[in-house]
Amino acid sequence: MSAAIEIKGLSKRFGHKVAVNDVTFTVGEGECYGLIGPNGAGKTTTFSMMCGFLFPTAGSIRVLGVDPTQPGALKGKVGVLPQDAVLPAAWPVGALLTYLARLSGLPEPEREAREALERVALPETWAVPAGAMSHGMAKRVAMAQALMGKPPVVFLDEPTAGLDPKIAAAVRQLIRELKGHSTVVVSSHNLQELEELCDSTAILDKGKLVKAGTMSEMTGQLAEFRVQIARGPVPLDEVKALSGCRTATLENKDTILVVHFDGQAVQPEDIITRTVGLLVQRQVLILSVSRGKRLEEKVLQLT
Amino acid sequence: MDDIREIKEIWRGEIGRALKGGRVIVLLILFLLFTALALTIVGSINHQLNSQVDQAVAAGQVDAAAAAAQAVEGRKKFLSTFFTDDDALLDWLSAMPLVLFVVFKLTMVFAPLFIALMSFDQISGEIGPKSIRYLVVRVKRSSILIGKFLAQATLASGLLVLCTVMMVAVAKVLNADFTAGSAVVVGLKLCVVLVVFALAYLGLSSLCSAVTRQSGVSLVLNVMHPEPARFLSAGMVHLGFALFFLGLAHLALRRRDL
């Protein structure tokens, strides 16, 4: 997979404050990539540098092979949903989207604007002034402008923040639809959402990159699974003796069996089936089986 | 070509936005009303003075030619005291109806304030709420700056030309010796002067707006005045100022975080 975005040694200072410190990661073409971290971790600053809003103090960024701060370098190639950018209040939504489509150099600006509004399920807001819309509607209109022209790279900063669950689910569905034909970078606090959507992720903390990798690596899906036990004594030694098993431990008052295995030597479905079979054979009652850790656990562990 | 198209789109968008938004329209109306009020006051004083001279001439108290010559001399003295010692310029200015000259001068005094109020937030008004981010991913920063500058210049020029036409028309009505030919020539010259004058302040306004984040700060900065203009050839200097300020604004915007 070739790289759509390459970030090397990226740093950003605001006076004495170091917002981003020597961050390096790569986003593959067609990937959905998550930027994760607590408040003040440098997610939005990194995001803003990728979009060309902020100039890096040090390091380099290449988006589709070009420096995003170069004038006009990414015209029509990226769609951006900035976090706190306010839509110009006086513009009717349709006119605003048509204007932005025209600025992007799209061949049929009005058609693009109408299609984008339909994608975010807001065609009825065509004549509504942007300043008269609710937060959720404004967010979806902002999302619509980012999707116009089907850009190869889409940056979404907190796309579902402040949205009700139904609308948030619709936005997540939109992001799912982008996967494969667009490279998507999503910055969010909603780890469950990122775990569900993203192929890869970078965890930032206090401006530094803590870890970057695929979601499977992050959550240990290829090396770990958990079995929630309802009743019965777990034959721990027998589990440890299973081929491919590295370690087996009991957590949470012996109600969770955590098994680490050699992901190179054994397929997850193979060892999970054998472990569950052994437990059932020993009359251990099981509530659920899950692969890896929750992303949230990993992030809490790292930050 | 792409740059020109971008600038044209920004210009069109900004003109539309300004005309839809209330502030520019209110300012345009206020400035027109101010010019009309100044014309009414100065015009009525001028009219009264002319009537008194006409009555004195009719009563045989004063010789008409002498009165006219005295009026021209008085005007020249006034102009040489306050404005210029250049004889050729004095002759040209003294031939201009007084009402036109005075109101035009008043317009020049208040035009910078009007321009500052009209354009102080052309860039900063988009940086504060970050709406400029929707533009910078699509067009060059230079296109945004120039497009917005040209939109403001179009609106300001339109208004100033309208004011000048109004002034010249009133002066023509009040002064029978102010011929139609002179009115057209003087009107054109005054229009050029006002537009060039306005461009310098618009450039300054662009600069203030590009270096600040809060639009209020850029409004305060706009009271700065390009003083050296008094000592140099006015038109070129103001055009120079316009380009200089616009260039600085471009430098500031090109390398700043948004």
Side-chain angles (χ1 to χ4, degrees):
Chain A
M1 185 190 290
S2 58
I5 301 166
E6 286 177 287
I7 292 179
K8 284 183 190 160
L10 188 70
S11 296
K12 178 67 183 176
R13 287 173 177 275
F14 295 104
H16 293 297
K17 184 179 163 43
V18 182
V20 174
N21 190 0
D22 196 23
V23 167
T24 299
F25 62 85
T26 302
V27 180
E29 216 170 274
E31 240 186 341
C32 183
Y33 200 90
L35 278 182
I36 301 172
N39 289 332
K43 300 187 301 290
T44 296
T45 306
T46 305
F47 183 92
S48 298
M49 286 191 280
M50 284 195 270
C51 300
F53 301 147
L54 300 180
F55 289 86
T57 310
S60 70
I61 307 178
R62 312 295 286 178
V63 177
L64 299 173
V66 296
D67 176 356
T69 59
Q70 283 301 305
L74 290 172
K75 184 184 175 83
K77 293 177 188 160
V78 297
V80 180
L81 170 68
Q83 192 184 357
D84 299 323
V86 178
L87 294 165
W91 286 81
V93 168
L96 175 64
L97 292 183
T98 308
Y99 172 60
L100 294 176
R102 207 175 279 129
L103 291 181
S104 293
L106 300 178
E108 292 177 81
E110 190 176 327
R111 187 182 58 79
E112 286 286 352
R114 286 190 188 279
E115 281 180 9
L117 266 188
E118 272 167 29
R119 286 179 83 181
V120 297
L122 284 176
E124 72 281 4
T125 59
W126 183 262
V128 177
M133 287 187 303
S134 68
H135 172 76
M137 288 166 92
K139 192 98 178 181
R140 283 150 74 196
V141 171
M143 183 90 180
Q145 64 78 35
L147 302 181
M148 284 192 302
K150 299 182 180 64
V153 176
V154 179
F155 294 103
L156 306 170
D157 198 358
E158 299 283 359
T160 56
L163 299 182
D164 68 52
K166 193 176 168 192
I167 303 296
V171 168
R172 278 195 289 276
Q173 182 54 35
L174 271 176
I175 298 171
R176 261 182 230 110
E177 287 166 15
L178 290 173
K179 282 170 75 171
H181 52 83
S182 289
T183 304
V184 185
V185 178
V186 189
S187 164
S188 177
H189 282 297
N190 188 335
L191 299 178
Q192 194 182 340
E193 174 178 287
L194 290 181
E195 188 175 349
E196 185 192 327
L197 291 172
C198 295
D199 307 308
S200 300
T201 184
I203 300 173
L204 299 170
D205 188 31
K206 296 179 185 124
K208 288 191 169 178
L209 180 73
V210 177
K211 195 169 174 63
T214 65
M215 195 57 78
S216 301
E217 289 165 1
M218 286 286 180
T219 55
Q221 284 193 4
L222 296 175
E224 182 183 324
F225 66 90
R226 291 161 178 243
V227 184
Q228 193 177 3
I229 308 296
R231 272 199 309 276
V234 175
L236 211 52
D237 289 337
E238 286 181 68
V239 174
K240 283 179 187 169
L242 290 170
S243 112
C245 176
R246 280 184 171 158
T247 62
T249 52
L250 283 165
E251 290 180 358
N252 202 19
K253 295 179 184 169
D254 296 350
T255 58
I256 309 265
L257 169 67
V258 181
V259 179
H260 290 97
F261 58 93
D262 183 353
Q264 306 286 331
V266 62
Q267 292 297 312
E269 62 270 26
D270 176 31
I271 190 162
I272 290 172
T273 307
R274 281 190 285 124
T275 306
V276 170
L278 175 67
L279 293 174
V280 170
Q281 210 178 11
R282 299 288 178 267
Q283 296 184 332
V284 176
L285 301 183
I286 295 168
L287 281 172
S288 67
V289 179
S290 61
R291 283 175 65 192
K293 286 180 180 172
R294 302 301 301 178
L295 180 62
E296 188 177 348
E297 284 175 58
K298 184 74 179 178
V299 171
L300 288 173
Q301 183 192 328
L302 290 171
T303 60
Chain B
M1 272 316 279
D2 207 31
D3 286 4
I4 293 170
R5 218 186 58 223
E6 284 181 358
I7 291 168
K8 197 182 99 187
E9 291 300 340
I10 295 280
W11 173 82
R12 252 174 47 170
E14 287 300 313
I15 292 273
R17 183 154 76 154
L19 293 178
K20 276 181 207 144
R23 194 180 73 211
V24 170
I25 297 295
V26 168
L27 282 169
L28 291 173
I29 293 169
L30 282 177
F31 199 75
L32 269 176
L33 286 176
F34 160 76
T35 309
L37 183 67
L39 274 172
T40 309
I41 294 169
V42 179
S44 76
I45 294 169
N46 188 31
H47 182 65
Q48 280 174 13
L49 287 174
N50 285 346
S51 301
Q52 282 173 9
V53 173
D54 289 346
Q55 280 171 8
V57 171
Q61 294 165 340
V62 185
D63 175 53
Q70 203 178 346
V72 170
E73 278 311 306
R75 233 181 277 172
K76 275 188 181 175
K77 198 173 173 186
F78 169 76
L79 291 169
S80 65
T81 306
F82 292 103
F83 301 107
T84 178
D85 290 328
D86 184 328
D87 287 336
L89 188 58
L90 274 176
D91 284 340
W92 189 80
L93 288 175
S94 59
M96 192 195 290
L98 196 61
V99 62
L100 181 55
F101 183 78
V102 173
V103 177
F104 180 74
K105 190 67 192 158
L106 275 174
T107 306
M108 284 191 81
V109 170
F110 287 98
L113 180 63
F114 161 74
I115 287 162
L117 289 173
M118 189 181 80
S119 62
F120 69 95
D121 61 348
Q122 54 180 298
I123 305 286
S124 58
E126 296 234 43
I127 293 175
K130 295 181 181 172
S131 54
I132 198 165
R133 292 185 170 192
Y134 294 119
L135 303 180
V136 291
V137 292
R138 295 182 160 87
V139 294
K140 292 177 185 167
R141 294 176 184 217
S142 57
S143 302
I144 297 173
L145 183 71
I146 296 169
K148 281 174 177 280
F149 173 83
L150 290 178
Q152 300 290 334
T154 305
L155 291 168
S157 303
L159 174 82
L160 294 172
V161 167
L162 191 63
C163 287
T164 309
V165 168
M166 201 162 77
M167 282 181 247
V168 172
V170 171
K172 174 81 187 74
V173 169
L174 290 175
N175 296 273
D177 54 342
F178 189 43
T179 62
S182 302
V184 170
V185 173
V186 169
L188 281 174
K189 283 185 176 178
L190 295 185
C191 283
V192 171
V193 169
L194 266 182
V195 169
V196 172
F197 179 73
L199 289 179
Y201 283 93
L202 279 169
L204 179 59
S205 199
S206 296
L207 172 60
C208 295
S209 195
V211 297
T212 57
R213 186 168 286 272
Q214 282 84 24
S215 50
V217 177
S218 57
L219 175 62
V220 172
L221 286 176
N222 261 309
V223 299
M224 284 157 60
H225 189 287
E227 273 299 317
R230 292 188 180 183
F231 309 107
L232 299 165
S233 176
M236 289 311 292
V237 168
H238 277 83
L239 268 181
F241 270 121
L243 293 174
F244 174 68
F245 289 136
L246 203 60
L248 284 180
H250 180 230
L251 280 178
L253 188 66
R254 200 180 58 168
R255 293 296 307 169
R256 71 167 293 181
D257 295 336
L258 297 173

